[in-house]
Amino acid sequence: MCFLTMWCFVSCGGNVRNARTREVASELYSQKEINAAIRTIKMDFAIDWSGCTLTEIYYAGDDYTKRYQDFADRNNADDVIVLLSTFTVDSSGGDGSLIPNYTYEKWEWILVRNKGGHWKHVDHGY
């Protein structure tokens, strides 16, 4: 499994190799839980975001995340977490829905989970 994950990070989809993260203090989640959510998005990005380069990803903060509780509710989940990121798009426009040669900032990634479970990416965008 580790080999497959590493292979995806370097050979397909979006580029996540040099993505920076920053620690954001939280009373809701430990740094370990936040890092698990970040890993989930990095794996999704590496697989599905061809033509894009993730440059930064970090926890949006407790107050920001609390506003998205409805995502947990509608996905029958206990927890929600929101990450923010910056990524660039090459001339291909990614999958065609993104602006070519553009940098997206404060792009939201919304994830949910049940207590003790793994984070699941359920939505993204502005």
PDB file of all heavy atoms in Angstrom, residues 15-54:
ATOM      1  N   ASN A  15       0.616  17.093  -8.959  1.00  0.00           N
ATOM      2  CA  ASN A  15       1.919  17.090  -8.297  1.00  0.00           C
ATOM      3  C   ASN A  15       1.748  17.595  -6.858  1.00  0.00           C
ATOM      4  O   ASN A  15       1.278  18.710  -6.646  1.00  0.00           O
ATOM      5  CB  ASN A  15       2.875  17.998  -9.070  1.00  0.00           C
ATOM      6  CG  ASN A  15       4.250  18.064  -8.485  1.00  0.00           C
ATOM      7  OD1 ASN A  15       4.485  17.648  -7.362  1.00  0.00           O
ATOM      8  ND2 ASN A  15       5.176  18.609  -9.241  1.00  0.00           N
ATOM      9  N   VAL A  16       2.131  16.774  -5.885  1.00  0.00           N
ATOM     10  CA  VAL A  16       2.032  17.151  -4.468  1.00  0.00           C
ATOM     11  C   VAL A  16       3.390  17.102  -3.768  1.00  0.00           C
ATOM     12  O   VAL A  16       3.471  17.327  -2.559  1.00  0.00           O
ATOM     13  CB  VAL A  16       1.029  16.244  -3.708  1.00  0.00           C
ATOM     14  CG1 VAL A  16      -0.362  16.369  -4.288  1.00  0.00           C
ATOM     15  CG2 VAL A  16       1.480  14.803  -3.701  1.00  0.00           C
ATOM     16  N   ARG A  17       4.431  16.815  -4.528  1.00  0.00           N
ATOM     17  CA  ARG A  17       5.755  16.565  -3.929  1.00  0.00           C
ATOM     18  C   ARG A  17       6.274  17.679  -3.049  1.00  0.00           C
ATOM     19  O   ARG A  17       6.884  17.426  -2.020  1.00  0.00           O
ATOM     20  CB  ARG A  17       6.783  16.277  -5.018  1.00  0.00           C
ATOM     21  CG  ARG A  17       6.673  14.888  -5.587  1.00  0.00           C
ATOM     22  CD  ARG A  17       7.714  14.702  -6.636  1.00  0.00           C
ATOM     23  NE  ARG A  17       7.432  15.640  -7.728  1.00  0.00           N
ATOM     24  CZ  ARG A  17       7.342  15.315  -8.994  1.00  0.00           C
ATOM     25  NH1 ARG A  17       7.562  14.087  -9.376  1.00  0.00           N
ATOM     26  NH2 ARG A  17       7.051  16.204  -9.910  1.00  0.00           N
ATOM     27  N   ASN A  18       6.095  18.926  -3.441  1.00  0.00           N
ATOM     28  CA  ASN A  18       6.675  20.031  -2.680  1.00  0.00           C
ATOM     29  C   ASN A  18       5.624  20.862  -1.945  1.00  0.00           C
ATOM     30  O   ASN A  18       5.885  22.011  -1.590  1.00  0.00           O
ATOM     31  CB  ASN A  18       7.493  20.926  -3.612  1.00  0.00           C
ATOM     32  CG  ASN A  18       8.671  20.175  -4.186  1.00  0.00           C
ATOM     33  OD1 ASN A  18       9.383  19.473  -3.487  1.00  0.00           O
ATOM     34  ND2 ASN A  18       8.872  20.301  -5.497  1.00  0.00           N
ATOM     35  N   ALA A  19       4.453  20.288  -1.742  1.00  0.00           N
ATOM     36  CA  ALA A  19       3.378  21.023  -1.065  1.00  0.00           C
ATOM     37  C   ALA A  19       3.785  21.330   0.379  1.00  0.00           C
ATOM     38  O   ALA A  19       4.173  20.447   1.125  1.00  0.00           O
ATOM     39  CB  ALA A  19       2.083  20.230  -1.101  1.00  0.00           C
ATOM     40  N   ARG A  20       3.679  22.589   0.739  1.00  0.00           N
ATOM     41  CA  ARG A  20       3.970  23.017   2.102  1.00  0.00           C
ATOM     42  C   ARG A  20       2.718  22.875   2.959  1.00  0.00           C
ATOM     43  O   ARG A  20       1.606  22.975   2.469  1.00  0.00           O
ATOM     44  CB  ARG A  20       4.393  24.494   2.117  1.00  0.00           C
ATOM     45  CG  ARG A  20       5.670  24.796   1.379  1.00  0.00           C
ATOM     46  CD  ARG A  20       6.031  26.282   1.455  1.00  0.00           C
ATOM     47  NE  ARG A  20       4.916  27.188   1.174  1.00  0.00           N
ATOM     48  CZ  ARG A  20       4.557  27.611  -0.042  1.00  0.00           C
ATOM     49  NH1 ARG A  20       5.194  27.200  -1.106  1.00  0.00           N
ATOM     50  NH2 ARG A  20       3.544  28.443  -0.192  1.00  0.00           N
ATOM     51  N   THR A  21       2.938  22.649   4.237  1.00  0.00           N
ATOM     52  CA  THR A  21       1.840  22.668   5.198  1.00  0.00           C
ATOM     53  C   THR A  21       2.230  23.614   6.323  1.00  0.00           C
ATOM     54  O   THR A  21       3.412  23.925   6.500  1.00  0.00           O
ATOM     55  CB  THR A  21       1.546  21.266   5.775  1.00  0.00           C
ATOM     56  OG1 THR A  21       2.706  20.796   6.444  1.00  0.00           O
ATOM     57  CG2 THR A  21       1.135  20.294   4.689  1.00  0.00           C
ATOM     58  N   ARG A  22       1.253  24.064   7.047  1.00  0.00           N
ATOM     59  CA  ARG A  22       1.527  24.861   8.244  1.00  0.00           C
ATOM     60  C   ARG A  22       0.634  24.347   9.354  1.00  0.00           C
ATOM     61  O   ARG A  22      -0.471  23.891   9.097  1.00  0.00           O
ATOM     62  CB  ARG A  22       1.334  26.341   7.998  1.00  0.00           C
ATOM     63  CG  ARG A  22      -0.044  26.742   7.564  1.00  0.00           C
ATOM     64  CD  ARG A  22      -0.197  28.247   7.510  1.00  0.00           C
ATOM     65  NE  ARG A  22      -0.342  28.725   6.155  1.00  0.00           N
ATOM     66  CZ  ARG A  22      -1.127  29.740   5.818  1.00  0.00           C
ATOM     67  NH1 ARG A  22      -1.809  30.402   6.741  1.00  0.00           N
ATOM     68  NH2 ARG A  22      -1.230  30.130   4.578  1.00  0.00           N
ATOM     69  N   GLU A  23       1.152  24.396  10.548  1.00  0.00           N
ATOM     70  CA  GLU A  23       0.366  23.933  11.686  1.00  0.00           C
ATOM     71  C   GLU A  23      -0.562  25.053  12.141  1.00  0.00           C
ATOM     72  O   GLU A  23      -0.151  26.201  12.284  1.00  0.00           O
ATOM     73  CB  GLU A  23       1.274  23.496  12.828  1.00  0.00           C
ATOM     74  CG  GLU A  23       1.964  22.183  12.549  1.00  0.00           C
ATOM     75  CD  GLU A  23       2.619  21.582  13.777  1.00  0.00           C
ATOM     76  OE1 GLU A  23       2.279  21.967  14.908  1.00  0.00           O
ATOM     77  OE2 GLU A  23       3.480  20.706  13.572  1.00  0.00           O
ATOM     78  N   VAL A  24      -1.814  24.703  12.325  1.00  0.00           N
ATOM     79  CA  VAL A  24      -2.828  25.627  12.826  1.00  0.00           C
ATOM     80  C   VAL A  24      -3.384  25.010  14.105  1.00  0.00           C
ATOM     81  O   VAL A  24      -3.827  23.861  14.102  1.00  0.00           O
ATOM     82  CB  VAL A  24      -3.951  25.833  11.782  1.00  0.00           C
ATOM     83  CG1 VAL A  24      -5.055  26.700  12.343  1.00  0.00           C
ATOM     84  CG2 VAL A  24      -3.387  26.419  10.489  1.00  0.00           C
ATOM     85  N   ALA A  25      -3.327  25.759  15.186  1.00  0.00           N
ATOM     86  CA  ALA A  25      -3.794  25.250  16.480  1.00  0.00           C
ATOM     87  C   ALA A  25      -5.282  24.918  16.411  1.00  0.00           C
ATOM     88  O   ALA A  25      -6.062  25.603  15.743  1.00  0.00           O
ATOM     89  CB  ALA A  25      -3.539  26.292  17.563  1.00  0.00           C
ATOM     90  N   SER A  26      -5.655  23.846  17.106  1.00  0.00           N
ATOM     91  CA  SER A  26      -7.047  23.408  17.112  1.00  0.00           C
ATOM     92  C   SER A  26      -7.423  22.827  18.464  1.00  0.00           C
ATOM     93  O   SER A  26      -6.639  22.112  19.078  1.00  0.00           O
ATOM     94  CB  SER A  26      -7.253  22.336  16.027  1.00  0.00           C
ATOM     95  OG  SER A  26      -8.554  21.804  16.108  1.00  0.00           O
ATOM     96  N   GLU A  27      -8.631  23.147  18.896  1.00  0.00           N
ATOM     97  CA  GLU A  27      -9.205  22.503  20.066  1.00  0.00           C
ATOM     98  C   GLU A  27     -10.086  21.334  19.653  1.00  0.00           C
ATOM     99  O   GLU A  27     -10.463  20.514  20.486  1.00  0.00           O
ATOM    100  CB  GLU A  27     -10.003  23.521  20.883  1.00  0.00           C
ATOM    101  CG  GLU A  27      -9.127  24.591  21.513  1.00  0.00           C
ATOM    102  CD  GLU A  27      -9.908  25.601  22.329  1.00  0.00           C
ATOM    103  OE1 GLU A  27     -11.100  25.360  22.642  1.00  0.00           O
ATOM    104  OE2 GLU A  27      -9.330  26.638  22.677  1.00  0.00           O
ATOM    105  N   LEU A  28     -10.419  21.244  18.367  1.00  0.00           N
ATOM    106  CA  LEU A  28     -11.265  20.166  17.862  1.00  0.00           C
ATOM    107  C   LEU A  28     -10.461  18.929  17.481  1.00  0.00           C
ATOM    108  O   LEU A  28     -10.918  17.810  17.703  1.00  0.00           O
ATOM    109  CB  LEU A  28     -12.052  20.627  16.623  1.00  0.00           C
ATOM    110  CG  LEU A  28     -13.041  21.762  16.806  1.00  0.00           C
ATOM    111  CD1 LEU A  28     -13.631  22.170  15.460  1.00  0.00           C
ATOM    112  CD2 LEU A  28     -14.147  21.339  17.771  1.00  0.00           C
ATOM    113  N   TYR A  29      -9.298  19.136  16.876  1.00  0.00           N
ATOM    114  CA  TYR A  29      -8.528  18.024  16.324  1.00  0.00           C
ATOM    115  C   TYR A  29      -7.064  18.105  16.722  1.00  0.00           C
ATOM    116  O   TYR A  29      -6.492  19.189  16.815  1.00  0.00           O
ATOM    117  CB  TYR A  29      -8.629  18.012  14.796  1.00  0.00           C
ATOM    118  CG  TYR A  29     -10.042  17.917  14.312  1.00  0.00           C
ATOM    119  CD1 TYR A  29     -10.649  18.963  13.650  1.00  0.00           C
ATOM    120  CD2 TYR A  29     -10.802  16.766  14.548  1.00  0.00           C
ATOM    121  CE1 TYR A  29     -11.963  18.881  13.222  1.00  0.00           C
ATOM    122  CE2 TYR A  29     -12.121  16.676  14.133  1.00  0.00           C
ATOM    123  CZ  TYR A  29     -12.694  17.743  13.468  1.00  0.00           C
ATOM    124  OH  TYR A  29     -13.992  17.641  13.061  1.00  0.00           O
ATOM    125  N   SER A  30      -6.472  16.935  16.903  1.00  0.00           N
ATOM    126  CA  SER A  30      -5.032  16.863  17.161  1.00  0.00           C
ATOM    127  C   SER A  30      -4.288  17.087  15.847  1.00  0.00           C
ATOM    128  O   SER A  30      -4.878  16.970  14.759  1.00  0.00           O
ATOM    129  CB  SER A  30      -4.663  15.490  17.732  1.00  0.00           C
ATOM    130  OG  SER A  30      -4.833  14.487  16.732  1.00  0.00           O
ATOM    131  N   GLN A  31      -3.004  17.370  15.936  1.00  0.00           N
ATOM    132  CA  GLN A  31      -2.210  17.540  14.727  1.00  0.00           C
ATOM    133  C   GLN A  31      -2.180  16.241  13.920  1.00  0.00           C
ATOM    134  O   GLN A  31      -2.183  16.261  12.697  1.00  0.00           O
ATOM    135  CB  GLN A  31      -0.782  18.005  15.054  1.00  0.00           C
ATOM    136  CG  GLN A  31      -0.022  18.496  13.835  1.00  0.00           C
ATOM    137  CD  GLN A  31      -0.699  19.664  13.129  1.00  0.00           C
ATOM    138  OE1 GLN A  31      -1.082  20.640  13.754  1.00  0.00           O
ATOM    139  NE2 GLN A  31      -0.862  19.541  11.816  1.00  0.00           N
ATOM    140  N   LYS A  32      -2.222  15.126  14.615  1.00  0.00           N
ATOM    141  CA  LYS A  32      -2.254  13.826  13.934  1.00  0.00           C
ATOM    142  C   LYS A  32      -3.527  13.678  13.092  1.00  0.00           C
ATOM    143  O   LYS A  32      -3.483  13.191  11.960  1.00  0.00           O
ATOM    144  CB  LYS A  32      -2.161  12.698  14.966  1.00  0.00           C
ATOM    145  CG  LYS A  32      -2.111  11.322  14.381  1.00  0.00           C
ATOM    146  CD  LYS A  32      -1.963  10.267  15.471  1.00  0.00           C
ATOM    147  CE  LYS A  32      -1.974   8.868  14.879  1.00  0.00           C
ATOM    148  NZ  LYS A  32      -1.846   7.830  15.893  1.00  0.00           N
ATOM    149  N   GLU A  33      -4.662  14.092  13.641  1.00  0.00           N
ATOM    150  CA  GLU A  33      -5.931  14.022  12.903  1.00  0.00           C
ATOM    151  C   GLU A  33      -5.931  14.979  11.705  1.00  0.00           C
ATOM    152  O   GLU A  33      -6.410  14.633  10.615  1.00  0.00           O
ATOM    153  CB  GLU A  33      -7.100  14.357  13.825  1.00  0.00           C
ATOM    154  CG  GLU A  33      -7.350  13.309  14.894  1.00  0.00           C
ATOM    155  CD  GLU A  33      -8.358  13.756  15.915  1.00  0.00           C
ATOM    156  OE1 GLU A  33      -8.163  14.833  16.546  1.00  0.00           O
ATOM    157  OE2 GLU A  33      -9.355  13.034  16.101  1.00  0.00           O
ATOM    158  N   ILE A  34      -5.386  16.163  11.900  1.00  0.00           N
ATOM    159  CA  ILE A  34      -5.287  17.137  10.811  1.00  0.00           C
ATOM    160  C   ILE A  34      -4.369  16.597   9.716  1.00  0.00           C
ATOM    161  O   ILE A  34      -4.696  16.665   8.525  1.00  0.00           O
ATOM    162  CB  ILE A  34      -4.792  18.501  11.343  1.00  0.00           C
ATOM    163  CG1 ILE A  34      -5.844  19.117  12.273  1.00  0.00           C
ATOM    164  CG2 ILE A  34      -4.443  19.438  10.184  1.00  0.00           C
ATOM    165  CD1 ILE A  34      -5.361  20.302  13.073  1.00  0.00           C
ATOM    166  N   ASN A  35      -3.236  16.043  10.114  1.00  0.00           N
ATOM    167  CA  ASN A  35      -2.303  15.479   9.129  1.00  0.00           C
ATOM    168  C   ASN A  35      -2.936  14.330   8.340  1.00  0.00           C
ATOM    169  O   ASN A  35      -2.671  14.172   7.144  1.00  0.00           O
ATOM    170  CB  ASN A  35      -1.015  15.016   9.800  1.00  0.00           C
ATOM    171  CG  ASN A  35      -0.172  16.167  10.293  1.00  0.00           C
ATOM    172  OD1 ASN A  35      -0.345  17.310   9.894  1.00  0.00           O
ATOM    173  ND2 ASN A  35       0.749  15.874  11.199  1.00  0.00           N
ATOM    174  N   ALA A  36      -3.778  13.547   8.983  1.00  0.00           N
ATOM    175  CA  ALA A  36      -4.472  12.455   8.284  1.00  0.00           C
ATOM    176  C   ALA A  36      -5.403  13.023   7.212  1.00  0.00           C
ATOM    177  O   ALA A  36      -5.497  12.485   6.105  1.00  0.00           O
ATOM    178  CB  ALA A  36      -5.242  11.587   9.269  1.00  0.00           C
ATOM    179  N   ALA A  37      -6.093  14.107   7.526  1.00  0.00           N
ATOM    180  CA  ALA A  37      -6.962  14.752   6.538  1.00  0.00           C
ATOM    181  C   ALA A  37      -6.130  15.307   5.378  1.00  0.00           C
ATOM    182  O   ALA A  37      -6.503  15.157   4.209  1.00  0.00           O
ATOM    183  CB  ALA A  37      -7.779  15.858   7.203  1.00  0.00           C
ATOM    184  N   ILE A  38      -5.004  15.917   5.695  1.00  0.00           N
ATOM    185  CA  ILE A  38      -4.125  16.453   4.651  1.00  0.00           C
ATOM    186  C   ILE A  38      -3.616  15.331   3.752  1.00  0.00           C
ATOM    187  O   ILE A  38      -3.610  15.464   2.524  1.00  0.00           O
ATOM    188  CB  ILE A  38      -2.957  17.256   5.286  1.00  0.00           C
ATOM    189  CG1 ILE A  38      -3.485  18.566   5.877  1.00  0.00           C
ATOM    190  CG2 ILE A  38      -1.851  17.511   4.255  1.00  0.00           C
ATOM    191  CD1 ILE A  38      -2.482  19.341   6.714  1.00  0.00           C
ATOM    192  N   ARG A  39      -3.237  14.201   4.332  1.00  0.00           N
ATOM    193  CA  ARG A  39      -2.787  13.052   3.530  1.00  0.00           C
ATOM    194  C   ARG A  39      -3.889  12.564   2.593  1.00  0.00           C
ATOM    195  O   ARG A  39      -3.633  12.205   1.439  1.00  0.00           O
ATOM    196  CB  ARG A  39      -2.316  11.911   4.427  1.00  0.00           C
ATOM    197  CG  ARG A  39      -0.896  12.048   4.914  1.00  0.00           C
ATOM    198  CD  ARG A  39      -0.376  10.770   5.557  1.00  0.00           C
ATOM    199  NE  ARG A  39      -1.232  10.247   6.614  1.00  0.00           N
ATOM    200  CZ  ARG A  39      -1.211  10.658   7.884  1.00  0.00           C
ATOM    201  NH1 ARG A  39      -0.372  11.611   8.254  1.00  0.00           N
ATOM    202  NH2 ARG A  39      -2.018  10.111   8.786  1.00  0.00           N
ATOM    203  N   THR A  40      -5.128  12.558   3.082  1.00  0.00           N
ATOM    204  CA  THR A  40      -6.251  12.132   2.252  1.00  0.00           C
ATOM    205  C   THR A  40      -6.371  13.016   1.011  1.00  0.00           C
ATOM    206  O   THR A  40      -6.524  12.517  -0.107  1.00  0.00           O
ATOM    207  CB  THR A  40      -7.569  12.163   3.058  1.00  0.00           C
ATOM    208  OG1 THR A  40      -7.462  11.245   4.143  1.00  0.00           O
ATOM    209  CG2 THR A  40      -8.765  11.825   2.199  1.00  0.00           C
ATOM    210  N   ILE A  41      -6.289  14.328   1.207  1.00  0.00           N
ATOM    211  CA  ILE A  41      -6.402  15.237   0.063  1.00  0.00           C
ATOM    212  C   ILE A  41      -5.188  15.120  -0.845  1.00  0.00           C
ATOM    213  O   ILE A  41      -5.327  15.135  -2.072  1.00  0.00           O
ATOM    214  CB  ILE A  41      -6.612  16.690   0.541  1.00  0.00           C
ATOM    215  CG1 ILE A  41      -7.965  16.809   1.245  1.00  0.00           C
ATOM    216  CG2 ILE A  41      -6.510  17.664  -0.642  1.00  0.00           C
ATOM    217  CD1 ILE A  41      -9.170  16.336   0.430  1.00  0.00           C
ATOM    218  N   LYS A  42      -4.008  14.972  -0.279  1.00  0.00           N
ATOM    219  CA  LYS A  42      -2.823  14.805  -1.129  1.00  0.00           C
ATOM    220  C   LYS A  42      -2.955  13.563  -2.018  1.00  0.00           C
ATOM    221  O   LYS A  42      -2.589  13.603  -3.193  1.00  0.00           O
ATOM    222  CB  LYS A  42      -1.553  14.728  -0.284  1.00  0.00           C
ATOM    223  CG  LYS A  42      -1.070  16.064   0.216  1.00  0.00           C
ATOM    224  CD  LYS A  42       0.240  15.872   0.965  1.00  0.00           C
ATOM    225  CE  LYS A  42       0.919  17.171   1.276  1.00  0.00           C
ATOM    226  NZ  LYS A  42       2.212  16.957   1.957  1.00  0.00           N
ATOM    227  N   MET A  43      -3.470  12.480  -1.471  1.00  0.00           N
ATOM    228  CA  MET A  43      -3.651  11.263  -2.279  1.00  0.00           C
ATOM    229  C   MET A  43      -4.679  11.498  -3.378  1.00  0.00           C
ATOM    230  O   MET A  43      -4.456  11.118  -4.529  1.00  0.00           O
ATOM    231  CB  MET A  43      -4.040  10.080  -1.396  1.00  0.00           C
ATOM    232  CG  MET A  43      -2.881   9.532  -0.600  1.00  0.00           C
ATOM    233  SD  MET A  43      -3.155   7.919   0.167  1.00  0.00           S
ATOM    234  CE  MET A  43      -4.605   8.175   1.136  1.00  0.00           C
ATOM    235  N   ASP A  44      -5.803  12.127  -3.039  1.00  0.00           N
ATOM    236  CA  ASP A  44      -6.819  12.429  -4.057  1.00  0.00           C
ATOM    237  C   ASP A  44      -6.250  13.347  -5.135  1.00  0.00           C
ATOM    238  O   ASP A  44      -6.479  13.142  -6.328  1.00  0.00           O
ATOM    239  CB  ASP A  44      -8.042  13.093  -3.425  1.00  0.00           C
ATOM    240  CG  ASP A  44      -8.931  12.144  -2.661  1.00  0.00           C
ATOM    241  OD1 ASP A  44      -8.629  10.923  -2.620  1.00  0.00           O
ATOM    242  OD2 ASP A  44      -9.931  12.616  -2.085  1.00  0.00           O
ATOM    243  N   PHE A  45      -5.527  14.366  -4.712  1.00  0.00           N
ATOM    244  CA  PHE A  45      -4.947  15.332  -5.639  1.00  0.00           C
ATOM    245  C   PHE A  45      -3.952  14.641  -6.571  1.00  0.00           C
ATOM    246  O   PHE A  45      -3.950  14.862  -7.778  1.00  0.00           O
ATOM    247  CB  PHE A  45      -4.246  16.452  -4.846  1.00  0.00           C
ATOM    248  CG  PHE A  45      -3.959  17.689  -5.641  1.00  0.00           C
ATOM    249  CD1 PHE A  45      -4.849  18.751  -5.633  1.00  0.00           C
ATOM    250  CD2 PHE A  45      -2.798  17.808  -6.387  1.00  0.00           C
ATOM    251  CE1 PHE A  45      -4.587  19.913  -6.358  1.00  0.00           C
ATOM    252  CE2 PHE A  45      -2.522  18.946  -7.103  1.00  0.00           C
ATOM    253  CZ  PHE A  45      -3.420  20.010  -7.091  1.00  0.00           C
ATOM    254  N   ALA A  46      -3.123  13.789  -5.997  1.00  0.00           N
ATOM    255  CA  ALA A  46      -2.107  13.076  -6.785  1.00  0.00           C
ATOM    256  C   ALA A  46      -2.735  12.143  -7.816  1.00  0.00           C
ATOM    257  O   ALA A  46      -2.149  11.888  -8.863  1.00  0.00           O
ATOM    258  CB  ALA A  46      -1.187  12.287  -5.855  1.00  0.00           C
ATOM    259  N   ILE A  47      -3.924  11.667  -7.537  1.00  0.00           N
ATOM    260  CA  ILE A  47      -4.594  10.748  -8.463  1.00  0.00           C
ATOM    261  C   ILE A  47      -5.446  11.494  -9.490  1.00  0.00           C
ATOM    262  O   ILE A  47      -5.404  11.189 -10.685  1.00  0.00           O
ATOM    263  CB  ILE A  47      -5.460   9.736  -7.681  1.00  0.00           C
ATOM    264  CG1 ILE A  47      -4.554   8.811  -6.865  1.00  0.00           C
ATOM    265  CG2 ILE A  47      -6.353   8.924  -8.613  1.00  0.00           C
ATOM    266  CD1 ILE A  47      -5.289   7.977  -5.835  1.00  0.00           C
ATOM    267  N   ASP A  48      -6.221  12.481  -9.046  1.00  0.00           N
ATOM    268  CA  ASP A  48      -7.268  13.055  -9.885  1.00  0.00           C
ATOM    269  C   ASP A  48      -7.031  14.468 -10.429  1.00  0.00           C
ATOM    270  O   ASP A  48      -7.862  14.951 -11.189  1.00  0.00           O
ATOM    271  CB  ASP A  48      -8.587  13.088  -9.100  1.00  0.00           C
ATOM    272  CG  ASP A  48      -9.113  11.702  -8.794  1.00  0.00           C
ATOM    273  OD1 ASP A  48      -8.882  10.785  -9.598  1.00  0.00           O
ATOM    274  OD2 ASP A  48      -9.748  11.542  -7.733  1.00  0.00           O
ATOM    275  N   TRP A  49      -5.959  15.125 -10.052  1.00  0.00           N
ATOM    276  CA  TRP A  49      -5.795  16.534 -10.421  1.00  0.00           C
ATOM    277  C   TRP A  49      -4.649  16.730 -11.414  1.00  0.00           C
ATOM    278  O   TRP A  49      -3.757  17.561 -11.219  1.00  0.00           O
ATOM    279  CB  TRP A  49      -5.626  17.381  -9.163  1.00  0.00           C
ATOM    280  CG  TRP A  49      -6.912  17.452  -8.393  1.00  0.00           C
ATOM    281  CD1 TRP A  49      -7.494  16.455  -7.663  1.00  0.00           C
ATOM    282  CD2 TRP A  49      -7.804  18.553  -8.334  1.00  0.00           C
ATOM    283  NE1 TRP A  49      -8.682  16.881  -7.148  1.00  0.00           N
ATOM    284  CE2 TRP A  49      -8.904  18.164  -7.534  1.00  0.00           C
ATOM    285  CE3 TRP A  49      -7.777  19.833  -8.851  1.00  0.00           C
ATOM    286  CZ2 TRP A  49      -9.966  19.012  -7.257  1.00  0.00           C
ATOM    287  CZ3 TRP A  49      -8.836  20.684  -8.579  1.00  0.00           C
ATOM    288  CH2 TRP A  49      -9.917  20.271  -7.789  1.00  0.00           C
ATOM    289  N   SER A  50      -4.702  16.006 -12.507  1.00  0.00           N
ATOM    290  CA  SER A  50      -3.689  16.087 -13.547  1.00  0.00           C
ATOM    291  C   SER A  50      -3.544  17.527 -14.046  1.00  0.00           C
ATOM    292  O   SER A  50      -4.541  18.235 -14.222  1.00  0.00           O
ATOM    293  CB  SER A  50      -4.084  15.173 -14.713  1.00  0.00           C
ATOM    294  OG  SER A  50      -3.112  15.217 -15.712  1.00  0.00           O
ATOM    295  N   GLY A  51      -2.309  17.936 -14.266  1.00  0.00           N
ATOM    296  CA  GLY A  51      -2.047  19.283 -14.745  1.00  0.00           C
ATOM    297  C   GLY A  51      -2.012  20.328 -13.651  1.00  0.00           C
ATOM    298  O   GLY A  51      -1.868  21.518 -13.919  1.00  0.00           O
ATOM    299  N   CYS A  52      -2.144  19.902 -12.384  1.00  0.00           N
ATOM    300  CA  CYS A  52      -2.168  20.837 -11.260  1.00  0.00           C
ATOM    301  C   CYS A  52      -1.020  20.523 -10.297  1.00  0.00           C
ATOM    302  O   CYS A  52      -0.619  19.376 -10.155  1.00  0.00           O
ATOM    303  CB  CYS A  52      -3.489  20.731 -10.509  1.00  0.00           C
ATOM    304  SG  CYS A  52      -4.935  21.102 -11.520  1.00  0.00           S
ATOM    305  N   THR A  53      -0.537  21.558  -9.638  1.00  0.00           N
ATOM    306  CA  THR A  53       0.523  21.417  -8.646  1.00  0.00           C
ATOM    307  C   THR A  53       0.057  22.028  -7.329  1.00  0.00           C
ATOM    308  O   THR A  53      -0.231  23.239  -7.268  1.00  0.00           O
ATOM    309  CB  THR A  53       1.819  22.108  -9.111  1.00  0.00           C
ATOM    310  OG1 THR A  53       2.243  21.503 -10.335  1.00  0.00           O
ATOM    311  CG2 THR A  53       2.914  21.988  -8.064  1.00  0.00           C
ATOM    312  N   LEU A  54      -0.041  21.205  -6.311  1.00  0.00           N
ATOM    313  CA  LEU A  54      -0.418  21.662  -4.978  1.00  0.00           C
ATOM    314  C   LEU A  54       0.802  22.323  -4.345  1.00  0.00           C
ATOM    315  O   LEU A  54       1.860  21.707  -4.239  1.00  0.00           O
ATOM    316  CB  LEU A  54      -0.878  20.466  -4.136  1.00  0.00           C
ATOM    317  CG  LEU A  54      -1.431  20.751  -2.755  1.00  0.00           C
ATOM    318  CD1 LEU A  54      -2.748  21.535  -2.850  1.00  0.00           C
ATOM    319  CD2 LEU A  54      -1.649  19.453  -1.995  1.00  0.00           C
TER     320      LEU A  54
END
